[in-house]
Amino acid sequence: MDESDLLAARFEERRTHLRAVAYRMLGSLAEAEDAVQEAWIRLDRSDTSGVANLGGWLTTVVARVCLDQLRSRTTRREESLEARIHVPDPIVSRADGLDPEQEVLLADSVGLALLVVLEQLAPAERLSFVLHDMFGVPFEEIAPLVDRTPAAARQLASRARRRVQGGAPAPDPDLDRQREVVGAFLAAARGGSFEDLIAVLDPEVVLRVDLGARAGGPGGPVRGARAVARQALTFQRLSPFARPALVNGAPGVVTMPDGKPVAVMGFTVSGGLIVAIDILADPVRLAHLDVAVLED
């Protein structure tokens, strides 16, 4: 094996880890893959003979690429005054479990609700939080990426952490119990039972629906158990086409009339109640979603 092949092999050993970093940073599987590919291009063009920690070097490169992407996004949204809800790309797997690569990608219970909150952070806050809290990167290494001192990078992560904790409660650790709660919600929605829906919804539950850029206009989240329960009853006609799945490692549903997805619904269950429901119903993005794992 020559030096080039050896470098490629060392990169491939770290690819899944780098995808995990980029997915948390960007919330887009395609953009995460692009960021990882850009890291390979930079590695291939660089002299890394003096790099003692190749994994750390690559993580830093991916983080820089993602930070540039996030800053570009922020500028575009400010220019367009975009106010629509954006639900990040879901990772859909069979209801009975994840494959090993998905387990690595979702190792920190990266549910859709958490990713939605991360989308609301400033780019430097998101980078500081993701690298430090999720991957244990020291603030001394984060600081140059965000042009701050280590103390200032620590403050960025702390501010982000408070927003995450306030906006994305930690899901219950018992997956079977989560399934029971989500199952009760779906049964109540199918049966049209408003009170049974209320019984499994947190009083402050939030429902976010991403209809895509072609939707009629901007819309905000629906908040509160009664308002969300009313919305849930409107899904009743689609319930025969709902297939159970894991959505970012948590119980969810993919609605598939004619075998094609029209909505992916992810749930966050905390304290035995549903605290967040995130739905991707953007036909453009759903057209690229791989649901082969759900086919019989």
Side-chain angles (χ1 to χ4, degrees), residues 82 84-86 209-217 280-285:
E82 181 80 37
R84 294 185 181 91
I85 291 172
H86 178 75
V209 184
D210 182 346
L211 297 171
R214 298 179 184 177
L280 176 63
D282 177 353
V284 175
R285 291 169 62 201

Side-chain angles (χ1 to χ4, degrees), residues 76 119-120 136 142 147 158 165 201 253 260 289:
R76 291 198 304 271
E119 293 271 316
Q120 299 165 8
I142 296 171
D147 297 319
S158 177
Q165 291 170 347
L201 294 171
V253 167
K260 296 180 180 179
L289 184 68

Side-chain angles (χ1 to χ4, degrees), residues 172-216:
D172 290 343
D174 187 338
L175 186 58
D176 288 337
R177 177 57 184 149
Q178 290 185 50
R179 287 191 175 104
E180 290 177 10
V181 174
V182 172
F185 172 88
L186 295 172
R190 283 194 300 270
S193 176
F194 186 80
E195 293 305 320
D196 286 348
L197 284 168
I198 294 292
V200 294
L201 294 171
D202 184 90
E204 303 300 320
V205 63
V206 57
L207 167 67
R208 292 171 287 245
V209 184
D210 182 346
L211 297 171
R214 298 179 184 177

Side-chain angles (χ1 to χ4, degrees), residues 70-85:
L70 291 174
R71 286 170 171 165
S72 175
R73 267 191 209 169
T74 301
T75 300
R76 291 198 304 271
R77 287 176 183 173
E78 287 173 352
E79 289 173 350
S80 66
L81 300 178
E82 181 80 37
R84 294 185 181 91
I85 291 172

